[in-house]
Amino acid sequence: MDIRVYRPGELTVADRAVWTAMQAQAPLLGAPQLANPFLSPEFALALGRCRGGVRIAVVREEGEPVAFFPFQRTRFGVGRAIGLGLSDAQGLVHRPGFQWDARELLQACGLAVWEFDHLVEGQKPFEVAARGTYDSPVIDVNRGYEAYLAQLRARSPKFTRTTLAKQRKLGRDVGEVSYVHDERDPAVLRTLMGWKSAQYRRTGRSDRFAHPWIIRLVRQLFHTRGESFAGVLSVLYAGGRPIAAHFGLRSERVMACWFPAYDRDFAKFSPGLVLHLRMAEGAAAEGVDYLDLGRGEKEYKDSLKTRDLSVSEGWVMRRHPVALGHRARRAPVRALRNTVLSRPELFGPADRLLKRMGSVRAAGKNGGGK
């Protein structure tokens, strides 16, 4: 293999076009997972503007690109999937039938180890190093929204009936309900980030929007517009005001769900669920095949999904002292985290503890008592 590594800005227009074409053809050639927008050149370029160490390896055969491998690298040779901890699809985008040697690729990239947590299916040279595989629920809308709704009614009649009834009640109690699939008002994006930041703090999770580079990334992607890739802000309005919103990424065939949140003053109407149904309708109208809800066990995902994809986490290593040290540090942490997430008797108490901690921190910031 002829493998050359580039900074994001060094990638030629021709190479970007080949990369995009590979993604567009992937669903037709039996690899729909490669069409995920987190695997798009636009995501890699945007992240490269906000974070250091972003690189793209281009693999060529007879002078023609056959694969693209975006990654992040430290000066010590520790590699991470691009957007690790933030992106919901990772891996190497390639032509059908392309085979590669993982350690040869790492050596060409100057990496002792490459870590991933959302490796998509079909990446066999990387999958052999996976430490765990997890469900990533999706909503199929390739047969149209009405077909999806009919499937939802058949599988979860009470859930569907209740959610649609809450939407009607929202219109009666608050005001006319409307939906904008692709809202272009930056002020609404700021509102969404405020809701999401508050949710992170309230539930004891790390606030992603406390990091300026993530805010810059989201804003850049919001302004990225193209036929093959776009940042999409979807908003549910009631009585003329936004009450739920979601920001995600879209390729030609896949909508990647990313940051959903809602105004808690309207929680009794389940605006987040109503929003996701409207998003499914809007995505179907645009010719999207499915909405990827992302890895993670959430009740709303189980209620809305039609099936599950699989993603893996782990790390590929070469024989190198840096790789051994990285494994020694990371393995116990990931093992503990995944044990808690996979066992309800552990996850429930841990989740409640995080929420209590979040409430205490919020009370302290608001001048609350003990």
Side-chain angles (χ1 to χ4, degrees):
M1 294 186 293
D2 175 19
I3 306 172
R4 300 186 184 183
V5 179
Y6 301 89
R7 297 175 184 272
E10 297 171 345
L11 203 64
T12 67
V13 173
D15 283 345
R16 286 179 57 182
V18 173
W19 187 344
T20 298
M22 284 182 186
Q23 285 197 286
Q25 295 164 5
L28 306 175
L29 300 173
Q33 66 277 6
L34 295 183
N36 193 293
F38 282 112
L39 294 173
S40 297
E42 290 85 355
F43 181 72
L45 293 173
L47 193 61
R49 297 186 192 103
C50 300
R51 299 291 281 172
V54 175
R55 300 292 185 270
I56 300 165
V58 181
V59 185
R60 303 179 194 274
E61 291 181 350
E62 299 180 355
E64 295 297 322
V66 294
F68 297 87
F69 179 57
F71 62 94
Q72 290 178 260
R73 179 176 65 190
T74 72
R75 60 178 178 168
F76 300 110
V78 173
R80 310 172 76 199
I82 190 166
L84 185 78
L86 195 63
S87 64
D88 286 342
Q90 301 153 1
L92 180 142
V93 178
H94 57 87
R95 286 184 179 176
F98 174 70
Q99 300 293 322
W100 70 95
D101 182 276
R103 289 175 177 79
E104 180 184 352
L105 178 62
L106 262 58
Q107 184 171 5
C109 294
L111 301 178
V113 59
W114 180 67
E115 184 176 1
F116 52 87
D117 63 359
H118 283 76
L119 181 71
V120 298
E121 295 175 89
Q123 306 266 311
K124 292 183 179 179
F126 295 146
E127 286 173 344
V128 295
R131 267 58 176 183
T133 301
Y134 307 91
D135 290 339
S136 184
V138 302
I139 298 174
D140 291 296
V141 292
N142 55 317
R143 294 190 295 119
Y145 175 68
E146 292 302 326
Y148 164 65
L149 196 59
Q151 184 177 356
L152 195 63
R153 283 195 175 104
R155 185 170 64 88
S156 306
K158 182 179 179 181
F159 166 80
T160 309
R161 185 170 60 252
T162 301
T163 303
L164 294 176
K166 286 183 177 181
Q167 178 179 245
R168 294 191 293 271
K169 183 173 175 55
L170 177 64
R172 292 193 302 269
D173 293 359
V174 180
E176 181 183 359
V177 176
S178 61
Y179 170 74
V180 178
H181 187 65
D182 190 9
E183 175 64 78
R184 303 312 304 157
D185 185 352
V188 184
L189 180 64
R190 290 194 295 271
T191 298
L192 168 61
M193 288 192 285
W195 287 341
K196 197 67 181 176
S197 184
Q199 178 190 337
Y200 286 136
R201 296 193 304 271
R202 187 174 63 249
T203 56
R205 268 68 174 180
S206 174
D207 181 5
R208 291 180 174 179
F209 292 112
H211 303 282
W213 74 266
I214 294 182
I215 295 176
R216 291 198 303 272
L217 175 65
V218 169
R219 286 174 175 167
Q220 282 194 32
L221 293 170
F222 173 72
H223 291 292
T224 303
R225 315 286 294 164
E227 291 185 6
S228 61
F229 180 97
V232 179
L233 175 64
S234 302
V235 186
L236 183 72
Y237 292 89
R241 62 181 289 185
I243 64 166
H246 166 270
F247 180 74
L249 307 178
R250 175 194 57 77
S251 64
E252 287 187 23
R253 309 299 288 270
V254 180
M255 171 70 79
C257 299
W258 206 9
F259 294 115
Y262 60 85
D263 187 334
R264 293 190 76 207
D265 289 343
F266 301 92
K268 67 179 182 180
F269 300 105
S270 299
L273 293 175
V274 175
L275 172 67
H276 276 80
L277 289 182
R278 291 294 190 94
M279 285 166 53
E281 184 176 19
E286 287 193 332
V288 166
D289 287 340
Y290 64 86
L291 292 80
D292 188 340
L293 298 175
R295 170 186 166 183
E297 294 185 6
K298 298 287 185 180
E299 186 176 352
Y300 82 91
K301 295 182 182 182
D302 287 338
S303 298
L304 292 165
K305 73 178 183 180
T306 54
R307 61 186 172 97
D308 292 302
L309 300 176
S310 292
V311 295
S312 302
E313 71 171 38
W315 45 81
V316 183
M317 302 190 310
R318 292 195 294 125
R319 292 183 179 274
H320 195 284
V322 169
L324 296 175
H326 182 79
R327 183 177 65 180
R329 289 192 305 272
R330 297 291 288 160
V333 176
R334 284 210 173 271
L336 177 60
R337 171 184 175 273
N338 291 328
T339 297
V340 172
L341 290 175
S342 64
R343 297 177 61 180
E345 70 273 19
L346 297 178
F347 176 77
D351 188 54
R352 289 191 292 272
L353 176 60
L354 284 173
K355 288 177 180 178
R356 285 199 296 271
M357 291 172 63
S359 298
V360 169
R361 285 199 295 265
K365 290 182 178 181
N366 294 329
K370 294 180 181 178

